[in-house]
Amino acid sequence: MSTESDAVFLETFPGWLRSLGDDAEAMADALTAPSPTRACAPSSRGLNYVFQSVDLIPDGIDDIGYLDDAFVLRVACAQVLAAGESEHPSRVGALAGEAEQVRAFLGADYPRLEAYVTHLQRTAARGRSVDEILANAAVRARSSPT
């Protein structure tokens, strides 16, 4: 990584931390459909990760504790688009585009993060697995702030 690249990341990542709540809300909006769409699985995985108590980077670490959450949301959004989902909140598309910055930052380790996000299908947060969220329209509706 060059010094020029480092400067871009140092300018970008703090903004991602500030917008994490809004980004999570955009992901939750993808869950409001009465029946699951292709966007629901990656959206559920990304949101469940944000609410997990055990993270790749513990949330209590100053300044970077939520950076992994921001990375996971962006990778999950990229997975929404990769699934061919044509109807999604515009913010999801923007976050998916920002996954390229995560790829540039992680380099050869990016595929490992993609695989990790995909395997979040088996995890639960707040007592709900991704499969339970996908199976229950009422749960998906409660996941959305709107």
Side-chain angles (χ1 to χ4, degrees):
M1 217 177 337
S2 70
T3 305
E4 186 176 317
S5 294
D6 292 345
V8 169
F9 299 132
L10 288 173
E11 292 173 11
T12 301
F13 294 164
W16 289 4
L17 296 175
R18 287 188 297 274
S19 69
L20 188 59
D22 292 335
D23 299 341
E25 285 182 17
M27 292 287 294
D29 286 344
L31 300 177
T32 59
S35 60
T37 66
R38 291 177 292 210
C40 286
S43 297
S44 296
R45 290 191 302 256
L47 286 171
N48 260 6
Y49 182 81
V50 169
F51 293 110
Q52 281 182 354
S53 58
V54 177
D55 282 358
L56 293 171
I57 302 172
D59 291 340
I61 297 177
D62 290 339
D63 296 329
I64 65 165
Y66 291 97
L67 193 56
D68 59 317
D69 297 60
F71 283 10
V72 166
L73 285 182
R74 282 156 177 80
V75 171
C77 286
Q79 291 177 348
V80 167
L81 269 56
E85 184 59 45
S86 60
E87 293 190 27
H88 53 77
S90 61
R91 184 73 185 129
V92 171
L95 292 169
E98 291 174 355
E100 286 305 312
Q101 290 177 301
V102 176
R103 182 186 304 274
F105 180 74
L106 294 178
D109 290 320
Y110 183 81
R112 291 177 58 202
L113 180 59
E114 281 182 308
Y116 179 82
V117 172
T118 299
H119 288 98
L120 288 171
Q121 185 79 22
R122 296 182 234 146
T123 63
R126 292 182 154 181
R128 293 189 179 99
S129 70
V130 170
D131 289 336
E132 291 168 324
I133 293 168
L134 295 176
N136 190 327
V139 170
R140 287 193 311 279
R142 283 194 305 269
S143 297
S144 176
T146 57

